[in-house]
Amino acid sequence: MTDKQSGETLTRNQTLVLEALSAAETAMTAYALLDVLRDSGLRAPPQVYRALERLRALGLVHRIESLNAFVACCHPDHDHAPATIFAICEDCGTVSEIENEAIAGRLETVAGEADFKLSRSAIELKGQCGDCTAK
Amino acid sequence: MTDKQSGETLTRNQTLVLEALSAAETAMTAYALLDVLRDSGLRAPPQVYRALERLRALGLVHRIESLNAFVACCHPDHDHAPATIFAICEDCGTVSEIENEAIAGRLETVAGEADFKLSRSAIELKGQCGDCTAK
DNA sequence: ATAACGGATGTTATATCATAACGCGATGCG
DNA sequence: CGCATCGCGTTATGATATAACATCCGTTAT
Ligand SMILES: [Zn+2]
Ligand SMILES: [Zn+2]
Ligand SMILES: [Zn+2]
Ligand SMILES: [Zn+2]
């Protein structure tokens, strides 16, 4: 176990993708990332998708299912609750990550009542963020 | 106002798509629907997507974001809670629709606390259904 | 009646999102 | 060395979704 790349350190491509995502205001599609990173040497979709896959496994990036797009985790340091909630502004596109134990627990209960063995969940809210409501 | 197609009745294509979806055990993609309905006269994706769009507006069909696929609503008669939950079995693919007022309310609260004006939400649970757990 | 309109439809082409499959080069290990 | 593993680059293709345009057909206004 030489730790060449066995768990912690990010490769060049992974770092590029994570930095691009972190710098973005909104969720980005894989192709948007590719466009942005073309000058940094990325040339083809698999390079981006592979980096995203790894970053997701590390919990540094989340996929927003309803947008087919990706965001950097806003608190990669601590572990996630079993149910993370994403609030997506339909006006400006910003995505906020919300943790809520109560809802996570309630979802577990509801799943149990339906005789469903829950492994993971995606909760995506659409609406208007505070900034856009104020406008 | 002859009610030619002004709100209630479904057109031929819409009926075909809804029937195919209702008959399906699992969620179906638009292209799967197209394959199934080719013998009934559907020839191109826009015909399916247009029918799906209308059926969704009528509340007869739901889109499962994490699958890029669609299901027939299992209780099209009564109105939906603001937050419908879909439990998706990763073994057999069945999708169950769950209504839960408590979670819907809780989501409203959480959104409010985050200063987010909620318009609609997608909650998708992945795991194992009762039948598959029993196996 | 007939012209104008709106809505559903059919069709072609294209945009957008995602992965399969192959080969290469560096690294670690027997 | 001989071999396995891993990241990487590249090409090609698959899967999902929509733009754009032409047509048809009942309704409605003139
Ligand atoms: Zn996170
Ligand atoms: Zn906003
Ligand atoms: Zn429903
Ligand atoms: Zn199952």
Side-chain angles (χ1 to χ4, degrees):
Chain A
M1 213 279 242
T2 63
D3 194 85
K4 167 188 53 173
Q5 169 58 22
S6 36
E8 289 308 305
T9 60
L10 297 182
T11 68
R12 170 184 153 80
N13 288 358
Q14 288 155 19
T15 305
L16 287 170
V17 167
L18 182 56
E19 284 174 352
L21 265 189
S22 300
E25 299 281 326
T26 70
M28 293 181 74
T29 67
Y31 278 77
L33 285 163
L34 181 56
D35 282 345
V36 161
L37 295 174
R38 224 174 276 272
D39 291 344
S40 305
L42 294 203
R43 316 293 303 282
Q47 297 174 282
V48 177
Y49 280 104
R50 287 197 282 236
L52 287 170
E53 186 179 18
R54 180 110 176 93
L55 292 167
R56 282 222 292 159
L58 293 173
L60 302 177
V61 159
H62 302 290
R63 176 183 170 83
I64 307 297
E65 302 289 353
S66 62
L67 299 178
N68 294 330
F70 304 84
V71 293
C73 180
C74 61
H75 42 50
D77 26 307
H78 76 66
D79 279 353
H80 284 90
T84 302
I85 302 168
F86 297 98
I88 304 155
C89 178
E90 290 182 297
D91 283 11
C92 67
T94 58
V95 177
S96 347
E97 192 173 342
I98 303 171
E99 303 255 346
N100 187 286
E101 285 294 341
I103 287 182
R106 204 103 197 87
L107 276 181
E108 286 280 0
T109 304
V110 167
E113 284 167 0
D115 198 21
F116 187 83
K117 186 157 166 293
L118 179 59
S119 67
R120 58 219 160 72
S121 53
I123 307 176
E124 301 180 8
L125 311 183
K126 299 294 184 72
Q128 262 189 327
C129 75
D131 288 356
C132 290
T133 309
K135 278 169 196 160
Chain B
M1 212 282 242
T2 63
D3 193 84
K4 166 185 55 172
Q5 169 61 17
S6 36
E8 288 308 305
T9 60
L10 298 182
T11 67
R12 170 186 151 80
N13 288 359
Q14 288 156 18
T15 305
L16 286 169
V17 167
L18 182 56
E19 284 174 353
L21 264 189
S22 300
E25 299 279 328
T26 71
M28 293 181 75
T29 68
Y31 279 77
L33 284 164
L34 181 56
D35 282 346
V36 161
L37 294 175
R38 225 174 274 272
D39 291 344
S40 306
L42 295 203
R43 316 293 303 282
Q47 297 175 282
V48 176
Y49 280 103
R50 288 198 281 237
L52 286 170
E53 185 179 19
R54 181 108 176 96
L55 292 167
R56 281 221 294 159
L58 293 174
L60 302 177
V61 159
H62 303 290
R63 177 183 169 85
I64 307 298
E65 303 289 353
S66 63
L67 300 178
N68 294 330
F70 304 84
V71 293
C73 179
C74 61
H75 44 48
D77 26 307
H78 75 66
D79 279 354
H80 284 91
T84 302
I85 303 167
F86 297 98
I88 303 156
C89 178
E90 289 182 299
D91 284 12
C92 68
T94 58
V95 177
S96 352
E97 193 173 341
I98 303 172
E99 303 256 346
N100 187 288
E101 286 294 340
I103 288 183
R106 207 102 194 83
L107 276 180
E108 286 281 359
T109 304
V110 168
E113 284 166 1
D115 198 20
F116 187 83
K117 185 157 167 294
L118 179 58
S119 67
R120 56 215 161 73
S121 54
I123 307 175
E124 301 180 6
L125 312 182
K126 299 293 185 74
Q128 262 190 327
C129 74
D131 289 355
C132 290
T133 309
K135 277 168 196 160

